[in-house]
Amino acid sequence: MKADLDADLDLLNRNVGEMIRLLQRATDAGIWTPQEAARHAARIESLRAKLTADFRELMALRERADESQLSTQNAHPLAKK
C-alpha cells in the first residue's frame, strides 16, 4: 500500500510538471498571457500541494495504526497465535 501511494504521488508530481510545461508552451504560442498562465500554474501547484499533504497525512495515520497494532502484538506475543 505504501509503495503504491508513493508511486501515485510520484506520478502526480510528474504530471503536474508536464502541465506546467504545457502552460509555458501555450503562453509561447500566444494562447495565454504570462499572467494567465501564472494564475493557472499557481492553481495547479496549490492542488498538487493539497493532494500531497492529504496523502501524506493518510499515510502517517495508517503508519501510526500499524505501529499501535504491532506494539500490542509485541507486548503479547502469544495472543495472536
Side-chain angles (χ1 to χ4, degrees), residues 18-32 34 37 41:
E18 288 296 319
M19 291 174 72
I20 300 299
R21 285 187 282 285
L22 177 61
L23 287 172
Q24 183 59 51
R25 287 193 295 272
T27 301
D28 294 345
I31 296 170
W32 284 315

Side-chain angles (χ1 to χ4, degrees), residues 5-57:
L5 200 49
D6 283 335
D8 290 342
L9 286 175
D10 287 343
L11 180 60
L12 170 70
N13 287 316
R14 281 194 308 273
N15 287 336
V16 165
E18 288 296 319
M19 291 174 72
I20 300 299
R21 285 187 282 285
L22 177 61
L23 287 172
Q24 183 59 51
R25 287 193 295 272
T27 301
D28 294 345
I31 296 170
W32 284 315
T33 66
Q35 296 81 12
E36 290 171 316
R39 281 195 307 273
H40 292 309
R43 289 173 42 208
I44 291 167
E45 287 287 354
S46 177
L47 180 58
R48 182 206 54 78
K50 178 168 179 19
L51 286 169
T52 298
D54 289 349
F55 277 124
R56 294 287 180 207
E57 185 177 328

